[in-house]
Amino acid sequence: MAEDKEKVPISKDLTPTPMQQLAYPTHSFSFKLFDHLPKRFQMNLCIGSYSIMSLLSHLYFGFGGATEKELEKALHYYQWPKLDKLNLAKLLDQSQDLLTSTKPSYYFRHHSGLNISRIILINERASVIPKFLSDMDNFQVPLNVTDFEEESTNATLFLNQWIPIRTDYYLPEVIPKINLKGDMVMLDASYIKGVWRHRFSRVNTRLGKFYNKGSYTNHL
């Protein structure tokens, strides 16, 4: 005998929600990005396509003209004309809140669920419109302006200190040296510490050699 189950009405409205509209360019950009990456890496590497897209979106919000069109095409926003910059900014903030909500805290070490941090460092010699700087104040991305030539050492040290703190010191250094002629440095750090669904028994766990890329070993 079949059990009585709650009947869920099927909606006839197939119009995608704003968050679903954001999902389409996100997926398109991600597939395109991974298609251009090397097929094999010589290290353990996790690439967050959404984080890259989010950072590029912040540039998209601050640019106009040909650069704006190039970013709009690369991020696949042109496919959804209703996703104007104001709505996009709100959706990206909402998605950030969802990622860092307390709901998945059971699976992650941090109480926030997922530790995601971004930062933008701009060369003060670059031509940046004031509106871009003011718009960045509306987002959860710290923005710093400094002279890349005169403050190269301090800027590099600052960024290499910023990353380890947000990755539990698993990434001690990211940038050996800042490009003195560059206009901007954008960094994103995401740290996840998950738990095993089926944990190993402590009784059956012992120290052993872990071979890292076949060149050296660690005792874990």
Side-chain angles (χ1 to χ4, degrees), residues 185-209:
V185 176
M186 306 181 71
L187 289 181
D188 174 274
S190 301
Y191 181 80
I192 299 175
K193 179 61 178 180
V195 296
W196 291 95
R197 183 175 183 181
H198 303 289
R199 295 188 178 185
F200 293 104
S201 172
R202 291 189 177 184
V203 179
N204 296 325
T205 303
R206 64 183 183 276
L207 290 175
K209 288 184 178 180

Side-chain angles (χ1 to χ4, degrees), residues 138-157:
N138 299 324
F139 304 111
Q140 304 173 20
V141 181
L143 186 146
N144 298 271
V145 180
T146 188
D147 191 314
F148 281 15
E149 292 190 12
E150 295 184 3
E151 299 293 334
S152 173
T153 301
N154 291 334
T156 302
L157 182 63

